[in-house]
Amino acid sequence: MKQDFFNVDNIAYEGSESKNPLAFKHYDAGEKIGGKVMEEHLRFAVAYWHTMRNPLSDPFGVGTAQMPWDDGSDSIDNARQRVRVFFQFLEKLGVDYYCFHDRDVAPEADSLAETNAQLDAVVATLKEEQERTGKRLLWGTASLFTHPRYVHGAATSCNADVFAYAAAQVKKAMEITHELGGLGYTFWGGREGYSTLLNTDMRRELDHLAKFLHMAVDWKKQIGFQGQFYIEPKPMEPTTHQYDSDAAACLNFLREYDLLDHFKLNLETNHATLAGHTMQHDLTVAANAGALGSVDANTGDLFLGWDTDQFPTDIYQTTQIMLIVLEMGGFTTGGLNFDAKRRRESFEPVDLFHAHIGGMDTFARGLKIAHAIREDGRLAEFVKRRYQSWDSGIGDAIESGLAGFEDLEGYALENGEPVNVSGRQEMLENLINEFI
Ligand code: XLS
Ligand code: NI
Ligand code: NI
């Protein structure tokens, strides 16, 4: 592509002394942290929907984003032009992965057949650009929430025809993800939930959702798609209650319907906090189940109670995330997808760079700090010692199933009042701050 719409050079690492706003201060793709270079640890991805398609509108005002490359039409030429600009952006930013919804890349036509044909046409351009640049698809997905047909949900719609339509759409989205060599496929249940229980048969809707996912698993086998399936939890918005509300709810659903072997979770920071959890909490729940797959890297606003999808800037938070990612041995198929948008006031194309540079540098620092905390070892050692009563004696007997209530009564009568020691929360908070 000849025309450069950004007027920005490739973003380089200049080190922490640099005052250049269009440079990395901490993210140095090739720098080794532990056994791996930073780009392999962090596996950043850019979200097509926010970067290329989000006009930055809000409930009170129209979009403000300047997109000089976009003629505003639903033509295939325009869709292809966006793809080329997007890859130019990935190249300049130095990010290797991206994620998209089917409807982000190609417009919906009057019939499903026509829509699929349009999608194929744009996928050919995506493929060309992937081959030209070596960039890869971290995961694909289908938008089952934008079109009015999904007003009552998709797989959980009261209308069986809508279920069928959604199945056809996901089938196609899986096929193009496969064709593009995608490393994963995400299910976010945009409208899989309810606005009121007065009109809802929850049991039936959940059974249908499970059927839908089983069909997807079958289709995956049939087409030989080896990528990882993810479920992305979110508690609410657009619906009052979403069935995939948090990590624990998703895991319970997957276990109940015998789907756990086929799915991992894609956790989003702003969704965890909307659910009333820290991201650290949801990550830990998923990791404990061996189901932590990928991360939608963003953050919410302390004062706004909705999914504001802001770029991560909080080093404390990225440190907590990277502590858990390092503890599980790093990402395999997943990565850090910036499911994040600029503020409505940041409408110039160059702001896309500032936003991503900030997110990447914040995660680079989180990675370095988390690695240093692990090398230091005091935190892990403290936790290990806190549970040492379980390593021998009565604790060991309980854990090994050798003691029952009677044995424990005998032990407690003999042992007298247990002696506790402090949890030292403040000391540990100070310890973390030593590294930040
Ligand atoms: C919306 C979700 C969505 C998914 C992909 O809140 O985060 O963007 O990541 O459908
Ligand atoms: Ni997301
Ligand atoms: Ni979100």
Side-chain angles (χ1 to χ4, degrees), residues 34-87:
K36 275 196 297 197
V37 293
M38 283 183 127
E39 65 179 345
E40 285 169 17
H41 274 291
L42 298 166
R43 295 166 65 89
F44 290 124
V46 174
Y48 199 94
W49 54 99
H50 283 309
T51 301
M52 300 314 288
R53 305 311 309 275
N54 198 322
L56 306 181
S57 58
D58 70 16
F60 299 97
V62 298
T64 58
Q66 295 171 356
M67 300 180 182
W69 52 82
D70 194 315
D71 67 16
S73 80
D74 266 348
S75 75
I76 297 304
D77 278 351
N78 193 31
R80 289 183 151 151
Q81 164 84 343
R82 281 190 208 111
V83 168
R84 294 193 193 100
V85 172
F86 181 68
F87 276 80

Side-chain angles (χ1 to χ4, degrees), residues 47 49-50 100-101 139 141-145 186-190 232-234 236-238 266 268 271 296 298 307 309 337 339:
W49 54 99
H50 283 309
F100 73 92
H101 300 83
W139 49 261
T141 187
S143 167
L144 303 178
F145 43 88
T186 293
F187 294 83
W188 170 59
E232 182 178 321
K234 184 175 182 179
M236 64 192 91
E237 187 201 299
N266 175 40
E268 179 165 323
H271 296 181
D296 269 8
N298 65 13
D307 196 11
D309 282 344
N337 169 44
D339 192 351

